[in-house]
Each structure stands twice: as structure tokens, then as C-alpha cells.
């Protein structure tokens, strides 16, 4: 019966659960609550595991693994507030800006992970792959399909916008995606370029303004102005001399 009801955690742990209930002298009502909690815990675990798989994160990172002391320019309270996922419920945008190596992707993944735990669907995609896929779909007259795919998740994370400049057509395709999600689905965008430089990223100031208009309308902007964490670690371990400093940041 437990199998048919798909209560697999209770089914698999039935003997130990019954023993536990007896040992703790639980009432029937308390025992039932215990059994349900176990089942829900297993279902949550599965859901989170599946969500993490579907999100296609490039690596496993979480907020507890982020060293805020290393990035004093970052407001920890603001990051924690964003990680609650309220911006997702509101369909808002988060921009994470800063030079390479300061933890933008780490934070994006960590926020995405929190979102999955909270029950949201998340998709992570590097910007160059996103635009390549949109351009390919456009060429094959299947743009609508792709746009739907990217419009579906509650949170779309677009990583590394600005590392490569867009082709003019790509900027337009990206605009279509942003307007499709605007006020409906949340976006988190990371970039090593300041917002003022996005015109040159998109290769077209008009499209850049249209994109920024939508992204910035309901947005939270986090700017990290620190040193690369990777270089810092290397410097600490003595691999790099203290005199070696990272290239001047774009921001
Ligand atoms: P970015 O996307 O800004 O270029 P990443 O997020 O890829 O940087 O960070 C580079 C590496 O350094 C990753 O492995 C990341 O986990 C780690 N890292 C960066 N900043 C921190 C930090 N403040 N605390 C812990 N790890 C960090
Ligand atoms: Mg990155």
C-alpha cells in the first residue's frame, strides 16, 4: 500500500520507524506526524537533487562557502536578502558586477541553489552559450521554441555577460529574451563590465538601452570591487609574489 501511495521513505524505513515510535512511546497521532516528516524530508531531498541537476550549474557552491570577509565591498545583508528569493517571486532582476575572480559565479550559483531549496526552478547558462543557441535557433526558424525554454524557469541565471561582445543580431535576440521574461520571470546576470559599458558589449547602444531599461527597472545591483579571490589564494600560498597585482579592473 505504501508503494502504491508512493510513500517510499516510510516503506523503506517502516521497521525502524515503528520501532522508533514504540521506543519513544509516541501516540498514534505523533507517530503519524513522524512518518510524514520522514516522507516529506525524502521528497524534498529528491526535489532539490533534481532541481540542481536541471539547473546545470558549472560547479557546486553555496553561501556558507563564500568568504564575505574577503570582499568587504559586498553587503552581506543584501546578498542574504537576495538569497531569500523574494526577487524571484516578484520577477525582478539581480545584476552581479565585478572584475574576474571576485566570486560572481560563486554567488550566482549559491543564490540559485537557495532558490531551488525554496522550490523555484532555476536554469544557469553562460551568456556566450545562450546567444549562440538563440542565434542557431533563429537560423533554423525555431527561435520561439528556444525562447520558451529560456522563459520557463522561475530564475534564469546568465553568467559572464560582457566577456565576449555580442554580434548585433545576438543583441537583438537577447533583447527578445529579456523582454519575454520582463516582469514575469526573474533574471540574475553576472558581468565583468560596468552597466555604462554595456552599449559596447551589445554592439548597439539602442538595443543596450532597451535591455538595460528592462533589467534595471526592478533590479538589485551588487558591485564587487575587490581583488580576484583566486589570485589572493595563490598569493597567500606563496605561488605569486605580493608585488604581482591583477590587471586593473574594468569597474
Ligand atoms: P567570477 O565569476 O567573479 O570570475 P568565481 O565565482 O568563478 O569568480 O570565483 C573564482 C573561484 O574563487 C571560485 O572557485 C569561487 O568559489 C572562489 N571564490 C571567489 N570569491 C570567493 C569568496 N569570497 N569566498 C570563497 N570562495 C571564493
Ligand atoms: Mg564567473
Amino acid at each position: 500500500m505504501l508503494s502504491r501511495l508512493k510513500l517510499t521513505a516510510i516503506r523503506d524505513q517502516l521497521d525502524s520507524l515503528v520501532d522508533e515510535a514504540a521506543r519513544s512511546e509516541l501516540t498514534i497521532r505523533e507517530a503519524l506526524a513522524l512518518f510524514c516528516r520522514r516522507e516529506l524530508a525524502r521528497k524534498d531531498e529528491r526535489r532539490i537533487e533534481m532541481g540542481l541537476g536541471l539547473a546545470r550549474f558549472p560547479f557546486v557552491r553555496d553561501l556558507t562557502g563564500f568568504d564575505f570577509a574577503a570582499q568587504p565591498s559586498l553587503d552581506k545583508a543584501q546578498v542574504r536578502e537576495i538569497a531569500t528569493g523574494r526577487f524571484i517571486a516578484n520577477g525582478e532582476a539581480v545584476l552581479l558586477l565585478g572584475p574576474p575572480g571576485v566570486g560572481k559565479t560563486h554567488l550566482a550559483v549559491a543564490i540559485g541553489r537557495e532558490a531551488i531549496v525554496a522550490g523555484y526552478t532555476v536554469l544557469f547558462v553562460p551568456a556566450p552559450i545562450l546567444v549562440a543557441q538563440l542565434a542557431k535557433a533563429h537560423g533554423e526558424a525555431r527561435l520561439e521554441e528556444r525562447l520558451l525554454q529560456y522563459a520557463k524557469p522561475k530564475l534564469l541565471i546568465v553568467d559572464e555577460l560582457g566577456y565576449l561582445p555580442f554580434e548585433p543580431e545576438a543583441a537583438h535576440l537577447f533583447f527578445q529574451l529579456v523582454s519575454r521574461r520582463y516582469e514575469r520571470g526573474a533574471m540574475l546576470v553576472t558581468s565583468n563590465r560596468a552597466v555604462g559599458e554595456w552599449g559596447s558589449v551589445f554592439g548597439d547602444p539602442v538595443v543596450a538601452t532597451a535591455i538595460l531599461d528592462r533589467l534595471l527597472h526592478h533590479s538589485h545591483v551588487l558591485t564587487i570591487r575587490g581583488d580576484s579571490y583566486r589570485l589572493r589564494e595563490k598569493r597567500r600560498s606563496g605561488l605569486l609574489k605580493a608585488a604581482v597585482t591583477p590587471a586593473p579592473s574594468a569597474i
Side-chain angles (χ1 to χ4, degrees), residues 5-161:
L5 288 167
K6 299 193 169 60
L7 300 174
T8 52
I10 301 178
R11 180 196 64 198
D12 297 346
Q13 304 166 22
L14 190 59
D15 288 340
S16 68
L17 281 171
V18 170
D19 284 348
E20 195 176 328
R23 229 180 312 114
S24 311
E25 295 176 13
L26 299 187
T27 64
I28 291 178
R29 195 180 285 270
E30 285 168 338
L32 199 53
L34 169 72
F35 291 15
C36 291
R37 270 199 304 277
R38 286 294 164 80
E39 187 61 46
L40 285 173
R42 161 90 66 96
K43 286 200 170 20
D44 279 342
E45 238 169 63
R46 286 264 169 87
R47 177 183 59 75
I48 291 166
E49 213 173 279
M50 191 181 268
L52 289 172
L54 290 173
R56 297 199 224 132
F57 293 132
F59 46 47
V60 179
R61 291 291 187 282
D62 58 24
L63 269 191
T64 54
F66 192 82
D67 176 8
F68 281 91
Q71 295 301 353
S73 68
L74 196 60
D75 182 352
K76 185 175 177 181
Q78 193 185 5
V79 174
R80 297 189 65 86
E81 170 64 24
I82 285 169
T84 63
R86 201 158 53 89
F87 81 101
I88 305 172
N90 296 343
E92 296 168 347
V94 170
L95 303 186
L96 260 173
L97 310 175
V102 293
K104 299 183 299 299
T105 304
H106 183 138
L107 283 175
V109 169
I111 291 167
R113 188 189 180 85
E114 295 288 319
I116 290 167
V117 171
Y120 295 109
T121 47
V122 178
L123 181 62
F124 179 106
V125 63
I129 291 180
L130 172 69
V131 290
Q133 287 186 340
L134 290 179
K136 183 163 176 273
H138 186 53
E140 293 168 353
R142 292 167 61 170
L143 180 62
E144 192 53 33
E145 231 171 88
R146 271 288 183 201
L147 283 174
L148 273 178
Q149 183 202 340
Y150 284 119
K152 226 175 198 174
K154 290 288 178 205
L155 172 63
L156 180 69
I157 300 176
V158 179
D159 195 33
E160 301 200 340
L161 193 81

Side-chain angles (χ1 to χ4, degrees), residues 150-206:
Y150 284 119
K152 226 175 198 174
K154 290 288 178 205
L155 172 63
L156 180 69
I157 300 176
V158 179
D159 195 33
E160 301 200 340
L161 193 81
Y163 278 84
L164 296 174
F166 281 22
E167 305 287 330
E169 191 209 29
H172 198 78
L173 294 171
F174 186 69
F175 167 73
Q176 288 196 46
L177 174 64
V178 170
S179 44
R180 185 72 64 103
R181 293 191 63 89
Y182 178 61
E183 290 186 335
R184 260 166 285 169
M187 282 183 82
L188 190 161
V189 178
T190 81
S191 178
N192 62 330
R193 309 287 291 271
V195 164
E197 297 172 44
W198 284 24
S200 59
V201 169
F202 293 115
D204 179 336
V206 178

